Amino acid sequence: MESSQLRCFLEVAETLHFTRAAERLHLSQPALSTQIDKLERELGVDLFERSHKKTTLTYAGTLYRDEARKILALGSRAVERARLAAAGQIGRLRIGFISTATAYVVPQLIAEFRKQAPHVELDLHHSLTAEQVKLLSSGELDIGFLRVPLPEPRGLSTILVHQEPYKLFLPATHPLASRPLLDWQDLDGADFVTYSQLNAPGVAAALALVMQQAGIRPAATHAASDMYSLISLVSAGVGIAIAPASLQHYRLPNVVIRDLQGIRPSEVALAHRDGIDHPAALAFIRTARAMSQSIQR
């Protein structure tokens, strides 16, 4: 059964006149009659009662008319949805993000994307950087917002979407907290709170290298699993921390913040699998690239 047969049947069912239906379909009457005969043979039922005076629908034809309308409507809807999906206008996007991205990147980017594709469904998942890398590589996430650099970015591409300076966070009771200006050498021998190497190995390694090059040898190192835990440990007096400036927005008590010179900004990037062909994801990535260009100008 073909859609052309259904259209022929519905035209005759509406007009109950083969000649008029043929004219509306731009077919010859014999060609239209052939289509109806073929359809009736395929179904094994008579859809019309024909006489020299009139054409009427059989009971089976009346029921089939209602179903045929639904079939054609579904077919048209399927074609339209396929075209929208190919254009990235519908579908579902699975997006992972770190906490910093929710404050500075994700809301603005989603708002811009939804102007272009308001019917794409979004699944948002809070995940740390290392977990996102696994989920992106396995195909369980389409897009991730994570901290870079990545130690082994094989199979993933990244687009810079946010930069912020690193700051020094100190307990208010720390001996260095009363000094408005600090040099790197002042930090040697202090107790440090650091970001877990398991959750963001690239960032942890980069900060460790900076400290090594500055000649800083921590007296002790305490690892935090996430940024809120890190600033909480500083607030509790456990140690000092070098961390992105956005941590100051947690506004925890007993924390003093100082500027740091000579260290590259902390960076958040959008990550996706190489060769991704998800149309909605590609549209989202194009929006992110436009934002990235404004950051880098």
Side-chain angles (χ1 to χ4, degrees):
M1 186 190 311
E2 300 174 358
S3 61
S4 60
Q5 289 175 297
L6 292 180
R7 291 190 180 91
C8 287
F9 163 73
L10 287 174
E11 198 65 50
V12 177
E14 180 180 335
T15 61
L16 296 177
H17 197 287
F18 273 78
T19 301
R20 195 174 306 133
E23 291 173 353
R24 291 171 64 166
L25 290 167
H26 304 290
L27 293 174
S28 66
Q29 183 174 333
L32 175 59
S33 296
T34 298
Q35 290 278 20
I36 298 300
D37 290 342
K38 182 179 178 183
L39 179 60
E40 288 178 323
R41 286 197 303 273
E42 289 178 2
L43 295 175
V45 299
D46 289 333
L47 299 173
F48 296 98
E49 291 182 359
R50 306 168 177 85
S51 70
H52 292 297
K53 294 184 177 181
K54 62 179 181 178
T55 298
T56 58
L57 282 165
T58 64
Y59 180 70
T62 300
L63 295 181
Y64 189 68
R65 176 193 60 195
D66 297 336
E67 296 303 319
R69 285 171 177 164
K70 295 176 184 177
I71 292 169
L72 282 181
L74 285 173
S76 298
R77 183 173 183 270
V79 170
E80 178 63 17
R81 287 184 63 80
R83 289 171 177 166
L84 288 172
Q89 292 296 306
I90 61 172
R92 182 178 296 273
L93 269 184
R94 300 161 299 170
I95 301 174
F97 61 90
I98 57 174
S99 55
T100 301
T102 59
Y104 292 95
V105 182
V106 174
Q108 300 93 316
L109 188 48
I110 286 179
E112 183 62 31
F113 176 68
R114 287 188 66 78
K115 293 178 186 176
Q116 306 165 28
H119 301 297
V120 172
E121 298 177 30
L122 303 176
D123 286 342
L124 301 177
H125 307 272
H126 178 264
S127 303
L128 299 176
T129 293
E131 180 67 14
Q132 285 190 56
V133 169
K134 294 178 183 177
L135 295 174
L136 287 166
S137 299
S138 66
E140 295 174 72
L141 279 182
D142 303 307
I143 299 290
F145 291 93
L146 38 70
R147 292 201 180 274
V148 288
L150 301 177
E152 294 182 5
R154 288 175 296 182
L156 297 179
S157 296
T158 58
I159 304 168
L160 176 65
V161 292
H162 175 66
Q163 288 182 318
E164 59 181 305
Y166 278 102
K167 298 281 188 179
L168 178 66
F169 295 82
L170 308 96
T173 57
H174 196 279
L176 296 176
S178 60
R179 296 169 56 177
L181 297 175
L182 292 170
D183 294 326
W184 283 95
Q185 295 88 331
D186 298 326
L187 310 183
D188 188 34
D191 288 351
F192 272 81
V193 180
T194 61
Y195 196 62
S196 169
Q197 188 170 1
L198 291 175
N199 293 332
V203 174
L207 287 176
L209 180 60
V210 169
M211 292 172 62
Q212 180 184 1
Q213 292 173 340
I216 299 172
R217 294 159 296 180
T221 301
H222 309 274
S225 61
D226 55 70
M227 289 298 183
Y228 185 78
S229 298
L230 184 146
I231 195 64
S232 296
L233 290 175
V234 174
S235 177
V238 173
I240 67 175
I242 299 171
S246 56
L247 266 67
Q248 62 192 330
H249 297 299
Y250 286 121
R251 301 185 185 281
L252 294 189
N254 306 315
V255 176
V256 173
I257 305 168
R258 295 289 181 261
D259 292 335
L260 283 174
Q261 303 298 324
I263 183 171
R264 292 186 58 183
S266 171
E267 297 180 338
V268 174
L270 179 152
H272 62 86
R273 292 184 309 282
D274 290 341
I276 188 169
D277 59 359
H278 188 317
L282 293 174
F284 195 91
I285 290 166
R286 287 194 294 271
T287 303
R289 287 193 187 281
M291 178 182 288
S292 175
Q293 290 170 1
S294 66
I295 290 173
Q296 296 175 7
R297 279 199 291 265

